[in-house]
Amino acid sequence: MDAPPSPEQPARDWSELPLEPLHSVFSKLGVVDLLMGAGLVCHSWLEEAKQPDLWRSVHTRHHHKVLDMNAGDLREMLKAAVDRSAGGMEVFVGDWFLTDNLLKYIGDRSPSLKVLDLVDCINISYEGLAEVIPRFPLLDGIVLSGYKELGYKYMVRDVYQVIGKTCTQLRRLELHHGSREQALGITALEGLRDLALVGGAIDDGDLAVIVDSCPQLERLHVTGCFKIVGNTVLRAKCARIKELRLQTYRY
C-alpha cells in the first residue's frame, strides 16, 4: 500500500528574516552581488541593501558577471553604488569602463574617499584625474597606471603637484608601468610613507632623487624596473627606510 503523500511545505518568506543578521551577510558581499542579487529578492532586502555603510568600499574588478556586461550598464551600476554610499564611500577600485565623466561623478559625491585605485582604468585622462583629485581631500592612498598608449598618455608631473597641494593626508602611492617623467613627479609628494613602483623606466639615479624627496618614507617596494642595478649610492640613501624591497638587475 502506497504511503500518503507528504503535506506540501509552505514557501519560505525571505522577507521575514531578521534584518540584523541579514545586514551582516550583506556586508560581506561586493557591489555586483548586492545590486544584481541580494537586493532583488524582496522589498525588505532591497531596503536593507541600500544602507550607506554597505557601500563604503566600492569595486567591480575581476567579478565574473562584469565580463558579460556592456560598458553602459556597468557605468549605471557604478552610479547606483555611489549614490547608495550617500557620501560615505572610503575606498574605490575602478575598472576598464571608468571614464573621466564617471570619475567626476564620483568626485562630486564622495568627499570621504580615502583610497583611489585606478590601475585598470585605461580611459582616464591626465586632465580628468587632475580635475577630480582636489575633491578628495582625505585621500590616504592612490594606485595609478602609467601605460603610455592608454589612459595616462598625457599624464606628466603636474598631476603630482595637484595631488601634493590638495591631498595633504596622502601617505601611500603605487605606480604601475610609469614613465621616467611620471615617476619623477613623485618628488612633489614629500609626505609619502609607503611607495611601490611596479615596472617602469627609472634607473638608480632617478630612484635616489625620489627617496631624497620623500624624507618620511618608511616602506619602499620596487619591482620590475629593469634599469635598477642597486648601486652603492642608492643603497646608502635607502638605508633609513624600514621596509625595503629592491629588485635589482645585472647585465
Side-chain angles (χ1 to χ4, degrees):
M1 186 174 180
D2 294 337
S6 301
E8 186 176 341
Q9 297 294 323
R12 182 184 294 271
D13 187 354
W14 296 104
S15 65
E16 294 181 354
L17 287 178
L19 294 182
E20 186 173 341
L22 185 64
H23 189 90
S24 178
V25 172
F26 281 4
S27 68
K28 295 176 173 59
L29 299 179
V31 171
V32 178
D33 292 320
L34 278 175
L35 287 173
M36 300 182 64
L40 302 179
V41 173
C42 58
H43 181 72
S44 63
W45 284 35
L46 174 60
E47 291 305 308
E48 192 62 28
K50 291 181 179 180
Q51 296 301 312
D53 65 292
L54 295 174
W55 304 91
R56 289 176 182 163
S57 178
V58 173
H59 64 88
T60 60
R61 187 180 298 167
H62 305 317
H63 195 289
H64 66 279
K65 290 183 180 179
V66 171
L67 301 177
D68 299 323
M69 297 177 64
N70 64 59
D73 290 341
L74 288 168
R75 288 165 188 151
E76 290 304 314
M77 184 173 67
L78 181 54
K79 285 183 179 180
V82 173
D83 293 341
R84 288 188 182 185
S85 73
M89 185 168 64
E90 297 179 354
V91 178
F92 175 70
V93 180
D95 212 336
W96 62 271
F97 59 87
L98 192 70
T99 63
D100 285 349
N101 286 336
L102 193 49
L103 184 60
K104 183 179 178 181
Y105 187 91
I106 295 169
D108 289 340
R109 294 163 178 80
S110 306
S112 301
L113 195 71
K114 296 179 181 178
V115 177
L116 179 63
D117 185 337
L118 301 177
V119 73
D120 285 344
C121 302
I122 61 176
N123 297 310
I124 299 297
S125 69
Y126 156 70
E127 293 84 0
L129 181 61
E131 179 183 354
V132 171
I133 280 294
R135 303 177 195 186
F136 305 130
L138 302 181
L139 202 64
D140 170 78
I142 186 168
V143 184
L144 300 174
S145 177
Y147 291 110
K148 293 182 179 179
E149 298 84 4
L150 302 176
Y152 289 90
K153 181 176 181 180
Y154 303 107
M155 184 177 176
V156 293
R157 297 187 198 183
D158 289 354
V159 74
Y160 292 105
Q161 296 287 346
V162 175
I163 295 173
K165 291 178 180 178
T166 59
C167 302
T168 57
Q169 298 187 41
L170 188 73
R171 297 294 179 265
R172 295 177 291 118
L173 171 67
E174 187 173 319
L175 176 63
H176 290 243
H177 306 286
S179 67
R180 178 175 181 269
E181 184 177 45
Q182 291 160 2
L184 287 173
I186 297 171
T187 57
L189 308 179
E190 298 180 359
L192 278 185
R193 295 180 182 175
D194 187 336
L195 174 62
L197 299 173
V198 182
I202 60 170
D203 58 20
D204 287 32
D206 299 327
L207 185 56
V209 172
I210 293 171
V211 171
D212 279 344
S213 301
C214 301
Q216 300 183 54
L217 203 60
E218 298 176 351
R219 178 182 179 272
L220 175 63
H221 284 195
V222 181
T223 60
C225 298
F226 297 105
K227 293 183 180 180
I228 297 294
V229 176
N231 62 33
T232 304
V233 174
L234 176 59
R235 292 194 176 276
K237 290 182 180 294
C238 292
R240 62 176 174 81
I241 298 174
K242 296 178 180 178
E243 183 180 332
L244 176 65
R245 181 185 177 188
L246 190 62
Q247 185 177 25
T248 59
Y249 298 86
R250 300 287 181 179
Y251 300 97

